[in-house]
């Protein structure tokens, strides 16, 4: 069964460094998302992406964040200058079409020291 | 602003008992509602998706109901097994933001043998 994959599973970085989190969505899906979950808190929406552009972004998704679909398979989240409060589990999700289920990847645990 | 609440936060039942998990939301203008399972340190596994026009959705031992007017959904798991131990999350999308899932904090379930 097709699944969303994410790499790396765990990333440790120093404050102020740039990180890129990678996702491979399910191949025939058209809508892509990033969410994050800070330890002990709710899963929260960051951004949605469709047709090579951002559809919607949350207040969290400020100028330090960017997303890209550099080729036909990968979907990336870049954090330009990480802060301690960016430490969280980051989930990528994909969706075949509007109104369908969103399928989540296993997550990347980002630790900022 | 949509608020999603799940009560109780934790639940422990003996094996074989039926599970009843509750989800409430404040804004009835939902597009759909999705139930997920999350195992510790892992990603989210989609269980069921209910469209706003539906009252119920079933998959195997799982049954989810939706009452939009009262802002509630209930997930029933029949004949629970120790393998059902996990955190169960509900998430809603709104009619004006159909791709953005807003999550509850989850109900942590333990099924004892």
């Amino acid at each position: 069964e097709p699944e969303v994959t994410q790499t790396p599973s765990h990333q440790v970085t120093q404050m102020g460094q740039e990180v890129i989190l990678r996702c491979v969505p399910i191949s025939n899906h058209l809508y892509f998302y990033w969410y994050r979950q800070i330890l002990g808190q709710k899963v929260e929406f960051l951004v949605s992406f469709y047709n090579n552009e951002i559809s919607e972004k949350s207040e969290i998704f400020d100028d330090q964040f960017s997303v890209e679909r550099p080729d036909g398979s990968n979907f990336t989240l870049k954090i330009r200058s990480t802060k301690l409060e960016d430490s969280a589990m980051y989930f990528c999700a994909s969706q075949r079409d509007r109104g369908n289920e969103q399928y989540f990847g296993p997550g990347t645990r980002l630790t900022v020291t | 602003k949509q608020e999603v609440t799940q009560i109780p936060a934790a639940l422990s039942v003996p094996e074989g008992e039926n599970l009843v998990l509750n989800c409430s939301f404040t804004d009835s203008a939902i597009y759909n509602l999705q139930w997920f399972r999350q195992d510790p340190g892992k990603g989210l596994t989609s269980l069921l998706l209910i469209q706003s026009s539906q009252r119920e959705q079933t998959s195997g031992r799982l049954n989810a109901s939706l009452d939009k007017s009262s802002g509630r959904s209930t997930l029933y798991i029949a004949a629970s097994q120790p393998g059902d131990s996990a955190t169960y999350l509900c998430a809603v999308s709104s009619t004006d933001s159909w791709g953005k899932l807003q999550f509850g904090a989850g109900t942590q379930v333990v099924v004892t043998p």
Side-chain angles (χ1 to χ4, degrees):
Chain A
E1 185 173 324
E3 56 184 20
V4 178
T5 59
Q6 290 186 243
T7 54
S9 57
H10 191 191
Q11 172 97 45
V12 181
T13 189
Q14 287 191 320
M15 197 166 54
Q17 295 297 304
E18 174 183 289
V19 294
I20 297 176
L21 310 184
R22 301 180 193 279
C23 168
V24 179
I26 295 172
S27 63
N28 63 347
H29 284 194
L30 301 177
Y31 298 87
F32 313 110
Y33 304 88
W34 285 99
Y35 293 83
R36 79 174 185 188
Q37 186 176 32
I38 295 170
L39 192 63
Q41 297 187 22
K42 293 182 179 183
V43 176
E44 47 190 355
F45 168 83
L46 292 178
V47 66
S48 59
F49 191 86
Y50 169 71
N51 201 25
N52 279 320
E53 60 183 31
I54 290 173
S55 310
E56 185 175 0
K57 57 185 181 180
S58 71
E59 292 172 356
I60 303 165
F61 195 90
D62 61 20
D63 292 344
Q64 293 300 313
F65 291 86
S66 62
V67 290
E68 196 177 38
R69 188 153 160 83
D71 53 40
S73 58
N74 291 285
F75 180 50
T76 62
L77 174 69
K78 183 194 291 187
I79 309 175
R80 262 179 271 283
S81 178
T82 50
K83 304 172 192 158
L84 293 176
E85 54 265 37
D86 294 328
S87 294
M89 183 75 99
Y90 286 80
F91 294 109
C92 172
S94 71
Q95 184 181 39
R96 183 169 57 86
D97 204 349
R98 178 178 174 141
N100 293 140
E101 286 174 276
Q102 290 189 26
Y103 291 91
F104 280 66
T108 292
R109 179 165 298 285
L110 177 65
T111 302
V112 183
T113 62
Chain B
K1 185 189 172 207
Q2 180 74 273
E3 294 290 340
V4 183
T5 304
Q6 292 186 249
I7 294 173
L11 185 59
S12 180
V13 298
E15 182 176 3
E17 198 164 293
N18 296 334
L19 282 164
V20 181
L21 307 177
N22 298 302
C23 173
S24 61
F25 45 92
T26 53
D27 185 353
S28 62
I30 65 167
Y31 193 79
N32 57 32
L33 184 148
Q34 198 166 348
W35 280 96
F36 294 89
R37 168 188 172 132
Q38 185 175 31
D39 292 285
K42 300 287 177 66
L44 281 62
T45 301
S46 178
L47 298 174
L48 288 169
L49 172 74
I50 310 181
Q51 303 292 350
S52 62
S53 57
Q54 296 178 305
R55 300 277 301 192
E56 196 173 6
Q57 191 67 258
T58 298
S59 175
R61 293 186 295 116
L62 276 58
N63 174 276
S65 66
L66 174 64
D67 184 343
K68 258 196 339 179
S69 60
S70 66
R72 291 184 185 183
S73 177
T74 303
L75 178 67
Y76 301 91
I77 304 177
S80 62
Q81 303 167 358
D84 294 328
S85 299
T87 297
Y88 291 82
L89 305 175
C90 80
V92 300
S93 64
S94 301
T95 52
D96 61 354
S97 185
W98 55 264
K100 172 184 171 182
L101 288 177
Q102 293 174 269
F103 284 81
T107 295
Q108 185 176 19
V109 171
V110 174
V111 180
T112 54

